[in-house]
Amino acid sequence: MKLEILNLEKSFNKKKIINDISCNLTTGVYGLLGINGVGKTTLMRMLCTLIKPDSGTIKLDGNDIYEMGDDYRKIIGYLPQDFGYYPELTIQRYMMYISSIKGLQNNYAKKKIAMLLDMLGLSDKKNTKMYKLSGGMKRRVGIAQALLNDPKILILDEPTAGLDPNERIRFRKIINEISKERLVLLSTHIVSDIDYIANEIILMRDGRIIFFGKPNQMIKSMDRNVYECIIPDNMIGFYQENYIIANVKTVNQGVEIRVISKNIPSKSGIKVEATLEDAFIWNFADLSKEKYINDKK
């Protein structure tokens, strides 16, 4: 299976949201990363045929997905950031409703729903009305409905939003289990989730793909080191103004900061191993503010 994206462009109100994107996706898990407003959701909606590009093509095994129509939509599962539901429906009734929309046979749908609710830890809540569910549980129902038709292509927009740490671990296990025979594209602001489960990273900025590759390759692409330093409380403003700060933590001796820099930022600095989150922060940081200090050292 090959999903080919070629020279894709899309604008809204004369503002270009997707700017000449091209890439090929096959079986496996792809993590789509980028800050808010870079075009992730717009790209996903085009891959689901919910909106059309202004120019460019998307092909599945050589066939234009918009020309394929229902034949394409039958093999995709989609979880948007905010999925719609009827609050008075129970989980079971909601899932049966979605299965009817997807054209699933009644007996098959019941078995599939039972399996998915068990997999997502929702079996004991199946008769609970949707409006009574926590945010994390609603998200799990959203993941379940996306898997109802056993899709070959699964597109998940912020699937871990609202999930607690244990639920995120469960989600990662599920993705690992189901990704062997399908293409999974997911976006998230929780970079560690991508680090655990994605085979490939797609990093977007200003409507473009600025990196496509393995997580370890993205980390190696940084031309900076990462240091952990302990500084006095009254120095935090100086470091935030002049360095790329990946994390700040209060400790007994003052403040422990995680600094991304070409040079050691203080005498207390200890070089540490860079993470995917460091690489993500570096790609969206204002590199100009560190220029004076790094050039002078």
Side-chain angles (χ1 to χ4, degrees), residues 84-99:
Y85 59 88
Y86 292 101
E88 291 293 333
L89 291 183
T90 64
I91 294 176
Q92 179 72 24
R93 289 188 63 194
Y94 169 76
M95 292 291 286
M96 287 299 295
Y97 167 70
I98 296 297
S99 68

Side-chain angles (χ1 to χ4, degrees), residues 7-68:
N7 302 126
L8 217 59
E9 299 205 350
K10 183 67 179 179
S11 297
F12 292 106
N13 298 322
K14 297 183 179 180
K15 181 180 179 181
K16 188 160 284 189
I17 306 298
I18 299 296
N19 193 349
D20 194 24
I21 281 182
S22 296
C23 63
N24 293 328
L25 311 179
T26 57
T27 303
V29 182
Y30 295 83
L32 184 60
L33 286 176
I35 61 175
N36 287 336
V38 299
K40 302 189 304 297
T41 295
T42 299
L43 176 60
M44 288 182 151
R45 287 173 61 83
M46 285 192 285
L47 291 173
C48 293
T49 70
L50 295 174
I51 56 176
K52 286 188 174 183
D54 297 331
S55 61
T57 57
I58 307 172
K59 294 182 179 181
L60 177 64
D61 294 331
N63 300 304
D64 187 293
I65 65 171
Y66 293 95
E67 294 178 2
M68 290 176 67

Side-chain angles (χ1 to χ4, degrees), residues 3 5 35 46 61 122 146 166 184 186 228 249 251 277 279:
L3 192 63
I5 301 169
I35 61 175
M46 285 192 285
D61 294 331
L122 291 168
N166 287 330
V184 181
L186 64 94
E228 287 185 350
K249 182 170 65 176
V251 294
E277 187 164 11

Side-chain angles (χ1 to χ4, degrees), residues 258-291:
R258 189 176 180 91
V259 182
I260 302 170
S261 176
K262 286 183 177 179
N263 305 291
I264 187 167
S266 77
K267 292 180 180 179
S268 68
I270 298 173
K271 187 177 177 181
V272 295
E273 187 175 350
T275 66
L276 190 66
E277 187 164 11
D278 293 327
F280 176 79
I281 291 170
W282 175 68
N283 270 283
F284 290 94
D286 179 7
L287 301 182
S288 65
K289 71 179 183 179
E290 62 164 13
K291 185 175 187 302

